[in-house]
Amino acid sequence: MDEKTQQKLENQKTLFSNRLKRKIKELKKWARKNKISCYRIYDRDIPEIPVSLDLYEFLPDHIQNKIEAAKYTSQVAERISQNDPTVQNELVLNTYAVIYLYERPYEKDENEEELWFDQMAKTASEVLNIPSSHIVKKERKRQRGTNQYEKDEEKESIYAIKGLTQESGELFNIDLTSYLDTGLFFDHRPLRSIVRESASKKSVLNLFCYTGSFSVYAAEGGAKKVESVDLSNTYLTTAKNNMELNGFSDKNAYIYTRQDCIEFLKEKAVKAKAGELKEDEYYDMIILDPPTFSNSKNTYNVLDINKDWPQLCKDCLNILAPGGVLYFSTNSTKLSFDKSLLPQATVSNKVIMVTDMTESSIPKDFEGTKCHKLWELKIAK
């Protein structure tokens, strides 16, 4: 590396370090106050440093349920308020971070890029005051098919980093190494809270359920029924484990359906149009947060959300009960939402009200980013 390149690297390390210090100071108290133990610290804030950095605080291994977790969290908060000098050292043992390198819009020498990424990870380790072995490096490239959701067998076999984390009182199994994503999308934290606050006595459908975080929040909110649908048996198993981890094991109330969500919706919508859907088969709340693109080998359907969103929303609206609500979200920056492509009323002449919730649904650790778009589609009673 020549002198000019080295100096540029040192300058970027300094910029990155200073930004991390400022963001951590800003977010740490907020996270602790809201019982959030994993959150985003940095998200390509500086154009020449195209990485994101997520912090994860695992619970100690002996904690296995929400009561124990709540007690532990309360004790830690009390010790921090009393300026206990030992508490930070204990927390470091269970603190990890995932740093993602995003694809650059230009070619860069692979060896030079690897060295650069190593230095950014080292800077994060120093600022966070955690061992370099607790920093997991990943690369986010343009996704093809279902690559984003496929297991990295090599990383899993070499060093698996898994643990239990807490978010607003709910527990989740987190896997930092086996997949590109870790099992919990931080940007949907506000929507998860909305679901929990409004799910009481409702029938909830969680489509493309992934690891079941929305299902957990719906169950915590007192939903009478929660159905989680995903094509992946692995994700359904993880969703079920997360539900049971939080005390939700009633087989009659909590259902796990392995099916292509497109086919699932088509079948339900056809029955609804034919008047064959029973009253208790309609849903009061549907969460539709699909991947941007999917061509899984387990189904002949190819999903391109930029083109397919109107039909998916229509099918969801057809199986919503009067007064029901659909939350449709996407992280596609190319999707153009045009409500004229949706019906203004149901077949029973119930008005459909559309509200753009994007701005109010961005959490503090994602402020200033375009992490997702969110719409509420509500059927009048």
Side-chain angles (χ1 to χ4, degrees):
M1 185 181 294
D2 60 41
E3 188 176 340
K4 184 179 179 181
T5 304
Q6 181 64 45
Q7 185 58 51
K8 184 178 178 182
L9 174 60
E10 292 303 320
N11 289 341
Q12 289 180 348
K13 284 169 61 178
T14 300
L15 283 172
F16 189 43
S17 175
N18 290 340
R19 183 60 61 98
L20 290 184
K21 288 173 183 175
R22 183 174 69 78
K23 293 292 285 289
I24 290 168
K25 185 177 180 181
E26 179 185 324
L27 292 169
K28 208 166 189 177
K29 288 183 180 179
W30 161 81
R32 193 78 62 191
K33 180 181 177 182
N34 291 280
K35 297 181 180 177
I36 296 166
S37 56
C38 41
Y39 51 94
R40 179 151 292 188
I41 299 172
Y42 177 92
D43 193 359
R44 294 169 284 178
D45 302 31
I46 304 167
E48 57 265 42
I49 307 174
V51 302
S52 62
L53 183 69
D54 294 337
L55 184 76
Y56 292 83
E57 287 183 10
F58 286 154
L59 292 164
D61 291 340
H62 67 272
I63 291 176
Q64 297 296 319
N65 58 58
K66 286 195 287 191
I67 294 174
E68 292 174 352
K71 185 177 179 181
Y72 169 78
T73 303
S74 178
Q75 288 173 344
V76 167
E78 180 65 23
R79 291 172 65 192
I80 290 173
S81 68
Q82 293 176 353
N83 296 315
D84 184 335
T86 63
V87 68
Q88 292 301 336
N89 291 334
E90 291 175 20
L91 289 174
V92 162
L93 296 174
N94 290 310
T95 300
Y96 293 82
V98 177
I99 186 168
Y100 293 96
L101 172 61
Y102 286 77
E103 203 168 3
R104 296 180 190 267
Y106 57 86
E107 291 291 327
K108 187 173 180 180
D109 179 78
E110 279 188 30
N111 292 330
E112 190 180 316
E113 185 76 304
E114 187 176 345
L115 175 61
W116 183 91
F117 195 23
D118 284 343
Q119 290 300 306
M120 294 304 125
K122 183 182 178 184
T123 300
S125 167
E126 291 169 354
V127 174
L128 295 173
N129 194 30
I130 61 176
S132 57
S133 60
H134 285 210
I135 305 286
V136 179
K137 295 190 300 175
K138 298 185 180 185
E139 292 186 33
R140 280 200 181 278
K141 297 180 179 179
R142 219 173 267 175
Q143 295 301 320
R144 308 246 185 331
T146 56
N147 293 347
Q148 179 178 357
Y149 305 102
E150 290 172 0
K151 184 177 286 190
D152 188 329
E153 303 285 356
E154 184 181 350
K155 282 189 176 180
E156 185 189 41
S157 61
I158 295 173
Y159 64 108
I161 300 175
K162 302 177 182 180
L164 207 59
T165 194
Q166 181 177 227
E167 181 188 86
S168 304
E170 313 301 340
L171 302 184
F172 295 98
N173 292 294
I174 297 293
D175 184 343
L176 298 186
T177 49
S178 302
Y179 300 86
L180 182 62
D181 290 310
T182 62
L184 192 63
F185 294 123
F186 301 164
D187 61 309
H188 275 314
R189 209 182 296 114
L191 181 56
R192 285 194 282 271
S193 294
I194 289 170
V195 167
R196 181 169 59 183
E197 290 162 8
S198 58
S200 180
K201 299 179 182 177
K202 291 180 179 176
S203 176
V204 179
L205 174 63
N206 183 10
L207 295 163
F208 302 95
C209 74
Y210 192 40
T211 56
S213 57
F214 280 114
S215 300
V216 169
Y217 273 75
E220 184 67 43
K224 65 181 179 183
K225 172 187 170 185
V226 180
E227 184 167 5
S228 306
V229 184
D230 204 291
L231 185 58
S232 166
N233 196 46
T234 299
Y235 289 140
L236 278 181
T237 299
T238 303
K240 186 178 181 182
N241 289 341
N242 279 331
M243 288 284 280
E244 291 178 349
L245 180 63
N246 287 278
F248 307 119
S249 56
D250 185 339
K251 293 179 181 179
N252 295 318
Y254 310 121
I255 301 158
Y256 307 91
T257 303
R258 187 188 180 202
Q259 191 176 355
D260 174 10
C261 289
I262 296 174
E263 284 303 308
F264 176 90
L265 282 174
K266 277 182 186 175
E267 291 174 10
K268 290 274 187 179
V270 167
K271 286 179 70 176
K273 287 178 181 178
E276 297 172 0
L277 208 62
K278 298 175 184 176
E279 189 176 337
D280 63 356
E281 291 183 290
Y282 285 87
Y283 300 93
D284 303 301
M285 183 188 296
I286 299 176
I287 298 106
L288 175 63
D289 180 31
T292 299
F293 185 84
S294 176
N295 62 348
S296 171
K297 60 186 177 183
N298 295 321
T299 178
Y300 58 83
N301 286 313
V302 175
L303 171 67
D304 180 349
I305 198 60
N306 296 321
K307 297 177 181 177
D308 299 333
W309 72 266
Q311 189 59 53
L312 286 173
C313 287
K314 286 175 189 175
D315 288 342
C316 287
L317 291 168
N318 280 325
I319 59 175
L320 272 178
V325 60
L326 163 65
Y327 293 112
F328 167 51
S329 177
T330 180
N331 59 8
S332 170
T333 56
K334 296 179 181 178
L335 187 143
S336 179
F337 187 88
D338 180 358
K339 68 178 182 181
S340 70
L341 297 176
L342 298 172
Q344 293 183 327
T346 65
V347 288
S348 57
N349 214 28
K350 300 288 186 182
V351 175
I352 298 169
M353 298 162 286
V354 180
T355 305
D356 188 336
M357 296 178 62
T358 303
E359 191 174 336
S360 62
S361 70
I362 306 298
K364 184 175 179 63
D365 48 335
F366 283 81
E367 285 178 352
T369 71
K370 296 178 180 178
C371 53
H372 66 243
K373 301 171 187 174
L374 172 66
W375 296 269
E376 177 192 72
L377 288 73
K378 193 169 186 177
I379 295 176
K381 289 186 178 180

